[in-house]
Amino acid sequence: MSETFEPGATVIPKPLHLLTDHELERKEQVAKVTTRVLRYLTGEFESRGFDWLLPVVFSKSTDPLWPDPGASIEKRVETEIYGEPVRTTHSMIIHKLVASSTAYPKLFVLSPNVRIERRERKDTGRHAYEFTQFDFELRGAGSEDVRELVEAVVAGLVAHLKTTSDLPVSFGREAMKTPFEVLDRRDLIARHGQEWELVLPQQTSRPVWVTNIPREFYDYEDPATGRWDNYDLFVPYYGEILSGARREWEHDRIVSKMERDGIDQKNFSLLLRLSEEGRIKPSAGAGIGIERIVGWIVGAKHIGEVQPFPKVPGVVYDL
Ligand code: AMP
Ligand code: MG
């Protein structure tokens, strides 16, 4: 599948010390939008009773990012500390499953994700090799609870940003209508073919949900129907800004999905042990890519534009 949004038109974002005065001004404006977005998201979740957890960088378990039709990892960063093998965080999904099952039934975390994306992805304009997720999880919740929460927060965020005339906000003045439409991935393939992920953002003028996406073991798959109870949020032009799901929690199902996917179970031993002991609880949640949501809001051509220190696949600057 071609991943280039505007073939040949990609301009790779430059580091701070090479920017013109005009580009530095834009960078500062984008930082002001980012600050507002972070303040709004954290404030909304806090006011709804979520606890704000601090992120981690090294762990024995991290997101396998497999199988996911969207994943494309060139290298996994694995090292050894104190004689133990560890990985840098791909996402905090495993931590969220354990945390929401134990001390933190409603949690969010601003989590640095390191994913060494294939270098060709520099041209998608949508991938960085380090980025930040606003990642949240809710014990006992279902997909609709999460979708309603996200719709309220995204619509509220857009309304909040529209009140500020001093910021570079790229969308119009009309209010964002909720609920967002929910589309099944199979229908999108029937309508647009395998390129649906590129076509959908160009065809929609409002955010839309896409459900039923086969991917990693931790998203819930209905054993009776084979339907995946997960959801991605797509926004106009920009594409996917959020992925989430209701989760698997039962040991046997997690094990059989890992076997099916060829996942090395020793990399998930704690999760497997806790689920065997019945200590993993049903939950649902999602992760919002901060750079993607800000990129959508400011109309950035490349996601690296909204990063103070761009982490563009294949391009390693000093900072
Ligand atoms: P995932 O669960 O893998 O879809 O990641 C959650 C969210 O993080 C996505 O919906 C995107 O908003 C964001 N994201 C994923 N990969 C990248 C990347 N390479 N660069 C920037 N943002 C990303
Ligand atoms: Mg995704």
Side-chain angles (χ1 to χ4, degrees):
M1 178 162 79
S2 153
E3 291 184 298
T4 308
F5 282 72
E6 292 174 57
T10 321
V11 176
I12 301 304
K14 290 180 287 186
L16 287 173
H17 65 282
L18 297 180
L19 298 181
T20 64
D21 286 350
H22 178 69
E23 288 167 334
L24 287 170
E25 265 169 46
R26 162 87 176 162
K27 208 82 181 172
E28 192 184 359
Q29 289 292 303
V30 171
K32 290 192 189 306
V33 173
T34 309
T35 305
R36 296 278 176 98
V37 168
L38 291 171
R39 194 176 65 194
Y40 189 87
L41 292 178
T42 53
E44 281 299 304
F45 275 72
E46 196 239 306
S47 74
R48 287 167 156 84
F50 284 74
D51 292 322
W52 186 347
L53 307 195
L54 295 174
V56 295
V57 174
F58 292 119
S59 309
K60 290 187 183 178
S61 290
T62 192
D63 193 332
L65 295 179
W66 177 263
D68 181 334
S72 154
I73 296 299
E74 181 165 312
K75 178 189 170 112
R76 291 169 188 268
V77 183
E78 302 177 331
T79 184
E80 172 273 324
I81 53 175
Y82 310 115
E84 300 283 351
V86 288
R87 301 171 170 78
T88 51
T89 301
H90 279 156
S91 89
M92 282 184 63
I93 179 63
I94 309 297
H95 303 74
K96 289 200 305 176
L97 296 179
V98 173
S100 65
S101 296
T102 53
Y104 316 102
K106 297 172 87 172
L107 69 92
F108 69 90
V109 50
L110 280 164
S111 137
N113 288 197
V114 178
R115 301 186 187 176
I116 311 304
E117 302 277 1
R118 273 192 289 114
R119 59 197 72 204
E120 304 88 88
R121 283 198 157 177
K122 74 178 193 312
D123 294 322
T124 67
R126 301 296 178 263
H127 294 93
Y129 66 86
E130 277 187 46
F131 62 95
T132 301
Q133 274 202 59
F134 182 96
D135 213 356
F136 65 93
E137 199 70 19
L138 192 48
R139 188 195 299 172
S143 292
E144 287 193 2
D145 302 315
V146 173
R147 288 202 293 263
E148 274 173 28
L149 170 64
V150 169
E151 286 166 1
V153 171
V154 170
L157 171 66
V158 167
H160 169 71
L161 291 170
K162 282 178 179 172
T163 60
T164 49
S165 56
D166 55 323
L167 295 179
V169 172
S170 70
F171 29 62
R173 296 269 131 201
E174 72 288 357
M176 187 158 275
K177 284 203 205 77
T178 58
F180 304 151
E181 197 180 357
V182 182
L183 305 173
D184 188 298
R185 183 191 119 270
R186 281 174 309 194
D187 297 335
L188 287 166
I189 292 176
R191 215 179 301 160
H192 304 300
Q194 297 297 336
E195 301 273 308
W196 67 268
E197 274 193 66
L198 297 180
V199 178
L200 182 64
Q202 311 304 328
Q203 293 209 333
T204 184
S205 56
R206 295 174 48 201
V208 286
W209 293 106
V210 178
T211 61
N212 193 14
I213 306 163
R215 56 188 178 204
E216 291 90 344
F217 70 84
Y218 48 75
D219 283 11
Y220 187 82
E221 186 185 359
D222 188 325
T225 61
R227 200 180 169 285
W228 290 73
D229 193 1
N230 54 18
Y231 36 84
D232 280 4
L233 186 65
F234 281 74
V235 297
Y237 181 65
Y238 230 72
E240 178 203 320
I241 60 165
L242 167 152
S243 282
R246 176 186 167 206
R247 311 299 181 187
E248 300 282 4
W249 75 97
E250 289 172 313
H251 182 256
D252 291 355
R253 292 190 44 77
I254 295 177
V255 169
S256 69
K257 289 173 87 178
M258 284 184 171
E259 281 170 357
R260 181 178 76 187
D261 298 345
I263 298 285
D264 190 347
Q265 292 180 30
K266 80 171 175 336
N267 295 339
F268 300 92
S269 25
L270 175 69
L271 178 70
L272 288 168
R273 195 173 81 228
L274 294 179
S275 67
E276 194 165 25
E277 292 168 358
R279 294 174 66 194
I280 297 299
K281 309 284 184 228
S283 68
I288 304 172
I290 292 294
E291 293 83 350
R292 292 242 184 119
I293 195 169
V294 173
W296 167 53
I297 290 166
V298 303
K301 287 233 175 329
H302 198 291
I303 201 167
E305 282 173 42
V306 313
Q307 296 185 296
F309 308 102
K311 300 292 179 185
V312 179
V315 182
V316 181
Y317 295 131
D318 286 34
L319 302 180

